[in-house]
Every structure is written in C-alpha cells, then in structure tokens.
Amino acid sequence: MSSPGSTKGFLQRCLIVVAAAALASCGGGGGSSGGSSGSSISAPPVSKVEAFRFLNQGSFGATEAEASRLIALGDSNTAYTRWIDAQVAKPASLLLPALEAAYPNPVPQGFNIGSLNAVRLETWFNNVVYGEDQLRQRVAFALSEIMVVSQVGALLNLPNATADFHDMLARNAFGNYRTLLEEVTLHPAMGVYLSMLGNQKAVAGTNLRPDENYAREMMQLFSIGLVELNTDGSNRLDASGQPIPTYNQEIIEGYARVFTGWKWACASTVTTCTFANTRPQLAPATGYNQVKPMQLFADQHETGTKRVLAYSGSTLTNGTIPANQSGAQDLKDALDNVFNHPNVGPFISRQLIQKLVTSNPSPAYVQRVAEKFNNDGSGVRGNLKAVIKAILLDKEAHDPSNPLTAGKVKEPLLRVTQLWRMYAKSLPEDKRFIFKALGSPSFVLGQSPGQSPSVFNFFSPFYAPPGEIADAELKAPELQLANENLQTQLSNFLFRQSQYMTSRPPSWMQSQSGNVIIEIEGEMKLADNVDPLLDLVATKLLGSPDAMSPTLRAEVRSQLRRWKIEPTFTDNPYTQRSEYLDNGRHSRVADAIFLTVISPEYAVQR
C-alpha cells in the first residue's frame, strides 16, 4: 500500500484553514437580540441540521439516533423543551462508585492511591460518550470549568474527593445555585484545593491569621467577578467612566474569617475527634470523610464581626456579619450575602452561555438569561434548570446567520467526544480505553476533567487572541488552547483514530486491543463513489451534506480520488493464507473522516 505524496501538504493546508476559520468564527457581542423562543400558530418541524446544532450545545456530541428522537418529540415549539425535561429527569451518572469498586481489598503493600485517578477519568469518558444523562453531564462539565478543583497538586492522592466533587456538580446541575455554592464551599475537595480546610482563626501576638484563598476565588470566580455588572453583563461605571470594583481587601479578610474552623468530618467510628487530629480515610467506608461535607470545629472559628458585601437589598446592615454567632450561622449569612448580590445572575449566566452556545452572547441574550436566574417565573432565584432552559431555548442559540456572532470554537475534548459518540462501535471488554487510545488526555488535548493546571481553568472566559478578535473586542476562550503543540497533538490523535482504530483496519494493523473502535461499515459500502461517501460523512459529523462547504468538499474529493480501488491479494503471515486487501476503500473512508474532523466546519460549533 502506498500513500499519495500530496497527503502531507494537504494536511498542512487544512490545519491552516482550521486556525484561520476558527479566528473568524468564534462568536460575537452583537448577535440576535430576539426574545426567547415562544409559541406560534404553526411552528415548523425541527430539521436535522437544527437538531444537530441543539444537541451539540446540550450534549457531548450529536448522534443520528438522538437527533431522530429529538425530531420525533414535536415541532420546534415543543421538541426542545420536551428533550430538556426528559434529560433533567434522568439520574446522574456518577464517578465515585467506580473508584470504590476499584479500591483493592486487601490493600497491597505500597499501593498508590493516586492510581485511582485513572479510573476516575476512564469512568468520566465512558459516561459522557455512552451515558444517557447527556445534558446533566454537559452542564456539570461547564460548572467544573467555573468552580475548579484539580488533582494537579494537593488532591493528587485524594481521588475519591475529586470524583465526588464532580458527582456533586452533576447532582446539582439543575438545582439551585445557592445550594450548589454551599456544597462547593463545604466539599473537602474544594477545602483542600483552595486551603479553606484547616483554616484557623487569628492568634493574637502571632502572624497566624485566616487564609484568604477561598474567600478571594469564591468571589472572583464562583459568584460575582471583579467589577460590578449591569443585568446584561456590561460593566457598571463610576462618574469618571471607570469600572466599579466589587470588593476590596477588607471584604476578602471578612469572608476569610467566616471560613474558619472547618476541617475533615469525623469518621463515624471515631469517638473523640479534634481539629488537629482528623485525617481523611483512604479506604471506602461508611461515612469516610473524603466525600463528607467539612465539619465545623467551633473553637477554631473566628467569632468577631466580619465585613462582607454591602449592596442595595442586602439583609446585612452595612454589609456586616455580627459578632458572636455560630460558625454555621456565619456561613449561612455569608453565602446568602454573596448569592443575592446582583452580579451573580449576569456573571454566571454569561459563562454558562459561553460554555454551551456562543463565546460572545449579545447583551440582550445575557440579560434574558440573567433575569431568569434572578426570578424563574415563580419567585425563585438561582434555579439552574430554568437558567439552562433559557440558554438553550433562546432565539440567539438557534440563529447561526451572523458569521461573527454565532457559535464558538469547540474545546478539543468536545471534538473528540463528538466523534466517538457518532462513530464509536462499542466499549472494549474491560471498559478501559482512554489511556490506551489517547495516552494522556491533558497532553493530547490540553485539557482533561479534574486536571486543570490552576483554579482559573484551562482557558479564561475573557481570553481574546491578539489581532482581529481582540481588536473587535470579541472573546474566543477556547483558542487559548490553540497553540502549535496542542494543535499537532490533537490532529495526530484524530489521524490515528480515523486511519487505524476502525472496524475495518488496514491490513497491517492487527491489534486493536483496548482502543476505541469507530464503525465505518456503512462508509465502506459507499467508498467506490466519492460524493455519496462525503454526503454520509458530512451528515454524521456536520448534520447535513450542505454543511460541508464547497471548498472543503473540493479539497477532500480531490484527495479521495487519489486512492485507487483495485483488488489486491497478499500473503498474511498471521493467518498463513492469501487475503483480499481493501486498502483503497479503507483509505478513502479514513481520509474522508479525518479531513472532516480537522476542518473549520467541524471545529467551530455553529
């Protein structure tokens, strides 16, 4: 089998086109300002292209089967809502049970508990590729990129805590943001990661004072951001036209004093438990404290007054928590104070829109969602189910007409999961494939669940590449991962997946053990005719043959025609007999898939 000499040059041109198109198509601030989708006298049916667009926003990748189910749910006024309601009703796929099952019993000498992080990652990929609770997992993933914990650092040897933190996000994905904020605050994974766990009151005459880490990040990243916002997400300005800071050092210190006295919860088998001697149990057991909310030790809690946020409508006089309250009451007052700040709605809503729909939602879009956060229609604030519905049902989420403002660049991880969800044949027998297929997800993709390099996630929601995008005052968060090394790693992986890890591998590829195998039998039947083959691939990966641009189709057609369909027989040393080789057809199919998944049409979610 010989490879056409122009393949390398064509691949290089494709990668250049991907980068250029991504820069031109990453979203914008001036999109449709139309209202949320509403009822009409005669609503049209949901087209396949529309179904694919919606499912790529609300899942880890559209599939033909799921698109058909969505279309069958009714017209465009009812189908999307019914799909969301059905997804909300599905129970959460969890990670912790898999880690508990993988923990050896008895524990061998020298066992490395950090090795269970691999089980956590394998289970996460299994859930998002094959699981039914797609919307819940997609929202949990979005939340995990806002409220970040990571095994990189202090959590390396606490895999159960990291796994349960994800499960907590999944359980709360459609709950209330106030409940979520408290569960995040008291989760031992967050306690370890941002050093609230073990935070002690000040000791007079020493340099010991409360740690400010969680207090600062809770405000900056998890709730209100750095500057005051209007409901549409735009900055509020002072008399001199400058943004107004949301907090100062005094307020950070006030919250730091609130978050004192919390540490590992006592194990149920322990009769005497103090702040100093509690430790996380390693083995799964009833009540083990890697996953139990942190416990308050009153003698280590700061009991003085605490200055927190002061704003119109706050129930705290002058933004002050009074002295001599219990630690639990201080926590409640502090979290209520943050949750009810007017910034939370637009700050969190905008980021969720960015994660699911578009990098640059219009101010009107942000305002519509933030208003739903502030009041779900029944007087409830922070209803995440209502927020997610408002995001996915909004007119702007369904309008791809503006080439600058519609959509977003897909995160590398989402490009892989979409391919697998559409094409993956089945799980390997041992249900372990990620490290065999991907190697290290962080190395190949630049991101991996629970492995962020810092609390600021893999990329910033405010990132704008220098040049055209920054000059236009637009954002393209995911392009912070689009460096030369990661682009090459991802393209190499997609090449290996489409060329070798298929249900019809090339003749010399004898072993597929442990890999994710993509099913290409339907494509192989069409390989003699290039255009029907391209139509099928474009339908599966882009939602429609028309979604493949004339430029891309011409380039891919030219490449596929270089492969000759000729019957060839060879002696196979493994089977000791002469076998028919179908390498020409296989190469056409593999190239059609590969060149599509590295194209701008696939890389940009529109």
Side-chain angles (χ1 to χ4, degrees):
M1 179 180 69
S2 62
S3 174
S6 64
T7 303
K8 181 178 180 181
F10 179 60
L11 170 57
Q12 291 172 338
R13 294 197 301 276
C14 275
L15 293 176
I16 292 171
V17 171
V18 169
L23 290 172
S25 309
C26 66
S32 167
S33 59
S36 301
S37 60
S39 60
S40 61
I41 296 175
S42 58
V46 177
S47 70
K48 192 168 186 179
V49 171
E50 291 169 335
F52 267 58
R53 179 184 304 116
F54 178 81
L55 292 172
N56 282 335
Q57 295 167 350
S59 75
F60 280 86
T63 67
E64 290 188 295
E66 195 63 29
S68 296
R69 278 191 287 269
L70 172 62
I71 292 169
L73 290 174
D75 61 32
S76 56
N77 276 343
T78 58
Y80 300 127
T81 299
R82 288 172 177 171
W83 186 87
I84 293 172
D85 288 340
Q87 284 287 305
V88 170
K90 292 183 183 295
S93 300
L94 304 177
L95 304 184
L96 184 61
L99 269 71
E100 292 176 327
Y103 201 94
N105 185 18
V107 180
Q109 185 175 2
F111 174 67
N112 176 17
I113 191 172
S115 64
L116 294 180
N117 284 305
V119 177
R120 177 182 63 81
L121 286 174
E122 295 279 359
T123 307
W124 185 89
F125 273 99
N126 279 326
N127 289 346
V128 303
V129 173
Y130 299 102
E132 294 186 359
D133 58 328
Q134 283 291 306
L135 180 59
R136 183 181 296 275
Q137 293 299 320
R138 183 69 189 272
V139 174
F141 181 59
L143 291 169
S144 77
E145 295 189 320
I146 298 171
M147 299 167 152
V148 175
V149 302
S150 174
Q151 75 176 64
V152 179
L155 290 173
L156 178 61
N157 290 319
L158 295 171
N160 293 42
T162 310
D164 188 70
F165 188 85
H166 164 273
D167 293 350
M168 178 268 298
L169 295 179
R171 286 189 292 264
N172 285 282
F174 308 122
N176 192 279
Y177 200 77
R178 171 61 177 81
T179 302
L180 174 63
L181 187 60
E182 181 165 338
E183 292 200 19
V184 165
T185 300
L186 293 182
H187 199 286
M190 183 61 76
V192 170
Y193 191 60
L194 290 185
S195 56
M196 177 184 153
L197 186 146
N199 194 18
Q200 302 179 49
K201 65 182 180 181
V203 177
T206 72
N207 288 326
L208 182 63
R209 62 179 184 271
D211 187 286
E212 300 171 1
N213 199 17
Y214 183 71
R216 182 180 293 105
E217 309 305 357
M218 181 273 296
M219 289 188 288
Q220 178 181 346
L221 302 176
F222 306 166
S223 58
I224 62 174
L226 293 173
V227 297
E228 293 188 12
L229 303 174
N230 297 307
T231 309
D232 66 2
S234 61
N235 293 344
R236 291 188 62 211
L237 305 177
D238 61 19
S240 61
Q242 297 301 309
I244 305 169
T246 47
Y247 58 87
N248 57 24
Q249 180 60 26
E250 182 184 11
I251 293 174
I252 294 173
E253 292 174 1
Y255 280 109
R257 287 195 287 273
V258 168
F259 301 133
T260 52
W262 298 90
K263 203 170 182 183
W264 303 108
C266 298
S268 58
T269 56
V270 175
T271 56
T272 302
C273 183
T274 68
F275 187 81
N277 67 17
T278 50
R279 295 289 186 271
Q281 296 176 357
L282 298 183
T286 302
Y288 72 112
N289 50 19
Q290 274 196 48
V291 302
K292 288 184 67 177
M294 291 185 291
Q295 178 176 329
L296 177 67
F297 292 79
D299 61 332
Q300 293 297 325
H301 178 67
E302 172 61 59
T303 58
T305 59
K306 293 99 176 170
R307 175 73 189 283
V308 291
L309 296 165
Y311 55 88
S312 177
S314 173
T315 59
L316 296 175
T317 303
N318 297 322
T320 301
I321 295 177
N324 300 316
Q325 294 192 152
S326 69
Q329 186 63 49
D330 278 359
L331 184 77
K332 179 183 183 304
D333 287 350
L335 295 182
D336 285 347
N337 174 254
V338 173
F339 171 69
N340 287 297
H341 190 283
N343 260 37
V344 181
F347 184 73
I348 295 300
S349 295
R350 187 178 192 278
Q351 289 193 70
L352 289 174
I353 294 170
Q354 284 184 307
K355 304 295 185 190
L356 301 176
V357 175
T358 175
S359 295
N360 295 277
S362 71
Y365 188 5
V366 174
Q367 180 161 342
R368 290 190 293 271
V369 177
E371 287 173 346
K372 190 63 69 171
F373 182 100
N374 295 340
N375 185 339
D376 66 356
S378 60
V380 176
R381 177 180 176 83
N383 181 348
L384 287 174
K385 176 183 175 181
V387 169
I388 298 304
K389 269 193 170 182
I391 291 171
L392 294 179
L393 298 180
D394 195 273
K395 177 181 178 181
E396 201 166 320
H398 299 266
D399 181 11
S401 61
N402 192 323
L404 287 178
T405 63
K408 61 194 288 291
V409 177
K410 294 175 188 171
E411 298 173 47
L413 184 148
L414 294 178
R415 292 173 65 183
V416 172
T417 59
Q418 181 183 343
L419 172 65
W420 281 349
R421 278 182 52 74
M422 178 57 73
Y423 273 102
K425 182 179 179 181
S426 62
L427 282 172
E429 290 184 4
D430 62 0
K431 297 186 178 181
R432 298 287 300 278
F433 60 84
I434 298 306
F435 288 99
K436 295 176 182 178
L438 269 172
S440 165
S442 290
F443 178 75
V444 174
L445 306 177
Q447 60 175 161
S448 184
Q451 292 185 320
S452 173
S454 78
V455 72
F456 297 100
N457 189 31
F458 308 99
F459 48 83
S460 166
F462 309 106
Y463 178 74
E468 228 178 307
I469 292 177
D471 292 346
E473 297 184 348
L474 302 177
K475 304 292 186 289
E478 295 81 4
L479 286 185
Q480 199 165 358
L481 290 175
N483 59 59
E484 185 175 354
N485 174 62
L486 289 176
Q487 289 290 86
T488 302
Q489 294 292 345
L490 175 59
S491 296
N492 285 343
F493 168 72
L494 294 172
F495 181 82
R496 293 194 304 272
Q497 177 72 79
S498 58
Q499 299 288 331
Y500 310 140
M501 293 180 277
T502 69
S503 59
R504 188 79 70 88
S507 60
W508 55 269
M509 183 69 177
Q510 298 299 322
S511 174
Q512 302 176 15
S513 175
N515 289 320
V516 183
I517 305 304
I518 63 173
E519 176 61 68
I520 62 170
E521 294 305 315
E523 283 77 2
M524 289 290 288
K525 294 176 182 177
L526 298 176
D528 287 1
N529 299 296
V530 169
D531 282 310
L533 170 61
L534 290 182
D535 286 347
L536 178 60
V537 171
T539 298
K540 286 186 175 182
L541 293 174
L542 306 177
S544 165
D546 295 335
M548 180 176 282
S549 69
T551 300
L552 177 62
R553 180 176 285 267
E555 289 277 14
V556 179
R557 183 193 291 119
S558 175
Q559 171 64 18
L560 301 195
R561 285 177 173 169
R562 297 176 184 275
W563 295 107
K564 304 303 181 183
I565 307 300
E566 298 176 350
T568 305
F569 289 85
T570 187
D571 292 328
N572 188 329
Y574 295 93
T575 61
Q576 301 298 314
R577 64 175 183 265
S578 182
E579 292 184 352
Y580 170 68
L581 300 185
D582 208 5
N583 288 344
R585 290 184 177 86
H586 178 274
S587 295
R588 281 187 174 184
V589 170
D591 279 2
I593 294 172
F594 171 62
L595 296 174
T596 301
V597 295
I598 66 166
S599 70
E601 288 91 330
Y602 183 79
V604 177
Q605 177 181 300
R606 296 294 299 274

